[in-house]
Amino acid sequence: MAEVQALAGKRMVSYFRLLKNATKEKAEIVPLEGDSSISFKRSSKSTTTKSGNISTSAGLTTEIDQTFYEGISKVSDEFYDAILDDEVVEYWLVNLDRVNNKGQYWAIYARAKVTEDKGSYKPDSTADRSPKIEVIGTPRRGYLTLSDYEQDMLAYAFRGIGQITDTPKEDGTDGGGLAYENNDPTKDTVPTNSTTDTNQGGNA
């Protein structure tokens, strides 16, 4: 039996769009995304008859909980539009670790209404939002294509601060860098005679 691959939650990303804009623009990733979850519920009712119990299933109810850190972005503003103007939205939950033989990514697609959008603005932490989304009808599963740009934004490699003077290798060494996973952190030390100038303009 083939080994079952565990899927990382951080590799499940969300895309969002107002349905009315579907013919005018692409969906966009939810920026600064925190947790997201989707729950499927189908209640059943048992009725007693003289011949035994009969179980009847109710319709499917699907809810999405989404959190993201507040920022100045189109998607952030459109979440407000969705609940204040009672707009139908399109929502995708995309699994970046599951692809088909055409290189397309597995996803859940839903049309929905934003039913709650709770913001938290604490003085000692970053502002965040927690919209709740109620799906209309039954979500659909399928595979979608991400552009090269979108894939690069989602899975970019580490870079150092040096100038990129040749074709980027995208292996964590560009710009004089070294990706964390290629280093042995147990051998890291505190420099004793560092020549690096850390003065950022203040008094020496």
Side-chain angles (χ1 to χ4, degrees):
M1 179 182 293
E3 182 180 354
V4 177
Q5 178 183 348
L7 301 174
K10 67 180 180 180
R11 299 284 289 169
M12 301 287 287
V13 297
S14 304
Y15 279 74
F16 179 90
R17 179 173 62 196
L18 297 179
L19 179 62
K20 68 179 183 181
N21 294 335
T23 60
K24 299 183 290 185
E25 61 190 32
K26 295 173 60 177
E28 295 189 30
I29 193 169
V30 176
L32 306 177
E33 182 175 5
D35 296 337
S36 60
S37 65
I38 184 168
S39 61
F40 304 98
K41 302 176 184 178
R42 189 188 297 276
S43 59
S44 62
K45 179 181 179 181
S46 181
T47 303
T48 301
T49 72
K50 294 180 180 180
S51 301
N53 291 340
I54 299 175
S55 182
T56 305
S57 295
L60 180 70
T61 300
T62 307
E63 295 177 337
I64 297 167
D65 288 327
Q66 175 74 66
T67 64
F68 59 90
Y69 290 100
E70 183 69 290
I72 302 173
S73 75
K74 183 173 181 294
V75 171
S76 176
D77 289 346
E78 287 185 341
F79 267 102
Y80 282 131
D81 295 340
I83 190 165
L84 295 176
D85 300 334
D86 195 26
E87 295 279 1
V88 176
V89 306
E90 293 181 288
Y91 183 92
W92 294 260
L93 186 62
V94 184
N95 188 335
L96 300 176
D97 283 336
R98 182 174 177 178
V99 297
N100 63 11
N101 58 7
K102 297 180 180 179
Q104 296 172 305
Y105 296 85
W106 185 93
I108 292 175
Y109 167 73
R111 295 185 183 183
K113 288 287 190 79
V114 178
T115 58
E116 182 180 337
D117 191 341
K118 182 179 179 181
S120 178
Y121 311 111
K122 299 177 182 178
D124 58 349
S125 62
T126 304
D128 63 73
R129 303 255 300 279
S130 301
K132 292 184 180 295
I133 304 168
E134 186 171 310
V135 173
I136 300 169
T138 302
R140 302 300 179 186
R141 290 170 290 174
Y143 296 83
L144 52 77
T145 301
L146 297 179
S147 69
D148 291 341
Y149 172 77
E150 289 165 328
Q151 292 181 52
D152 289 344
M153 290 298 292
L154 291 167
Y156 57 84
F158 181 82
R159 284 183 174 179
I161 62 176
Q163 180 182 355
I164 310 299
T165 58
D166 202 350
T167 302
K169 296 183 288 296
E170 303 297 354
D171 61 356
T173 64
D174 292 318
L178 175 65
Y180 180 84
E181 57 268 21
N182 295 330
N183 180 61
D184 182 358
T186 63
K187 296 181 179 179
D188 290 355
T189 61
V190 176
T192 55
N193 295 307
S194 175
T195 59
T196 303
D197 181 10
T198 57
N199 182 16
Q200 300 296 317
N203 294 329

